[in-house]
Amino acid sequence: MRKSRRMCYACIRSIFGLLNGLIWIVGGGVIGVAIWLRISYNGYVSLLPQHELLSLDSVVLMSGTVLFVAAFLGCSGAWFKSSCLLISYFILVAMLCGAELVCGILGFMYSETFSVSLQQELLTGIQTHYNTSENYAGITLAWNHIQHQLSCCGVHHYEDWFNISAWPGDSRVPHSCCIPSFQYMDDCGQLEEVSMWFPSGCYQKVQIWFKERLHLVGIIGFFIAFIQLLGLVSSMILFCGTRRRAGFKTYKAVKSQSAVL
């Protein structure tokens, strides 16, 4: 019975350590990608200039850091049989699960408020920061890329581009709003000919894109929840086993000293 317990403990320790070792490597890679995005693109895909922490590189960096730290604690705790590192891993992952749950509940409860605020922030980015200076080059690149890839124009429609700071008093749109058959014309967005522009807004297109891939989001969410639950259970088993072994060694040492006396 004791031998089977030792084998089970060793198996859990090996799987837990290997899994966290892989996640640790992935976390380091994610941090590297975030640094590359920051250096190479200077905040590319920062559609919300009022909230710098929501830019792509910042989100990727925070995610990579959490993965790196949590996996390091788990892998080191399993390798060195450290109860301190294992309980730190358990607390960190438990806090992460709690934060995800709270964010999910708040997102569901205030989805409409969040949607309205997001649309307003995107409009503000277009009206005041698009193509105005090198400091906001990321916004210009991001909007041009999104409109070209999703075949859309503006947040709600092409009129969102009228009379913005980049071209005050003009009813024009960026060249990325032009439908493919007119993209060969350099002045397509300046002709005020709406039949040459994409009629749909990008916010609606993004919503449709996510709804079509909602099953993938569910699968990814289920997989992440499973990995986190597995990590919590495994770390607690290893923590209890490590404490039990430490207590048994202390008991043997005290017993030996008593026998000598």
Side-chain angles (χ1 to χ4, degrees):
M1 184 68 177
R2 186 173 296 175
K3 184 178 180 181
S4 63
R5 286 183 178 178
R6 285 200 298 268
M7 290 179 61
C8 183
Y9 177 86
C11 181
I12 293 175
R13 177 169 169 257
S14 300
I15 294 174
F16 181 78
L18 179 61
L19 180 63
N20 279 280
L22 292 174
I23 295 175
W24 182 64
I25 295 173
V26 171
V30 171
I31 292 175
V33 170
I35 295 173
W36 172 73
L37 282 173
R38 171 62 67 176
I39 295 174
S40 301
Y41 292 97
N42 191 27
Y44 179 56
V45 189
S46 178
L47 294 176
L48 303 174
Q50 298 86 346
H51 306 283
E52 287 294 329
L53 289 177
L54 295 180
S55 63
L56 180 61
D57 50 354
S58 298
V59 172
V60 172
L61 180 61
M62 288 187 290
S63 302
T65 302
V66 171
L67 282 176
F68 188 86
V69 173
F72 175 79
L73 291 174
C75 187
S76 300
W79 180 263
F80 296 108
K81 299 180 182 179
S82 170
S83 57
C84 180
L85 292 176
L86 288 170
I87 197 63
S88 298
Y89 171 88
F90 180 87
I91 292 172
L92 179 60
V93 175
M95 291 175 60
L96 182 61
C97 292
E100 291 171 355
L101 182 62
V102 170
C103 289
I105 293 174
L106 291 177
F108 179 77
M109 291 176 60
Y110 299 102
S111 58
E112 289 297 327
T113 303
F114 174 76
S115 177
V116 172
S117 299
L118 178 60
Q119 293 176 60
Q120 186 57 48
E121 293 288 345
L122 291 172
L123 281 172
T124 302
I126 285 177
Q127 294 167 355
T128 60
H129 300 296
Y130 180 89
N131 203 29
T132 54
S133 68
E134 288 296 325
N135 295 331
Y136 298 109
I139 297 177
T140 304
L141 290 171
W143 271 111
N144 289 339
H145 180 76
I146 290 172
Q147 292 182 146
H148 179 73
Q149 291 295 321
L150 298 181
S151 300
C152 57
C153 188
V155 179
H156 303 114
H157 39 67
Y158 53 79
E159 291 184 2
D160 295 335
W161 292 105
F162 292 178
N163 195 30
I164 65 173
S165 298
W167 42 76
D170 290 342
S171 298
R172 50 175 290 196
V173 299
H175 189 266
S176 56
C177 279
C178 297
I179 61 178
S181 57
F182 294 102
Q183 287 181 357
Y184 70 93
M185 302 171 58
D186 293 335
D187 58 349
C188 168
Q190 306 173 27
L191 297 177
E192 299 186 12
E193 183 57 55
V194 297
S195 61
M196 297 181 178
W197 307 333
F198 294 121
S200 302
C202 294
Y203 193 81
Q204 181 184 5
K205 285 293 186 74
V206 171
Q207 282 185 318
I208 294 173
W209 188 89
F210 272 111
K211 287 179 180 179
E212 291 175 347
R213 293 158 179 80
L214 200 58
H215 62 288
L216 292 177
V217 176
I219 293 172
I220 294 173
F222 178 81
F223 178 75
I224 293 175
F226 174 77
I227 293 296
Q228 289 176 335
L229 181 61
L230 180 64
L232 288 173
V233 174
S234 299
S235 62
M236 187 51 62
I237 292 174
L238 294 177
F239 171 77
C240 294
T242 303
R243 290 292 298 272
R244 189 182 297 111
R245 290 190 175 195
F248 181 69
K249 289 181 180 178
T250 304
Y251 170 76
K252 287 184 65 177
V254 172
K255 188 176 181 181
S256 300
Q257 292 178 358
S258 301
V260 171
L261 295 175

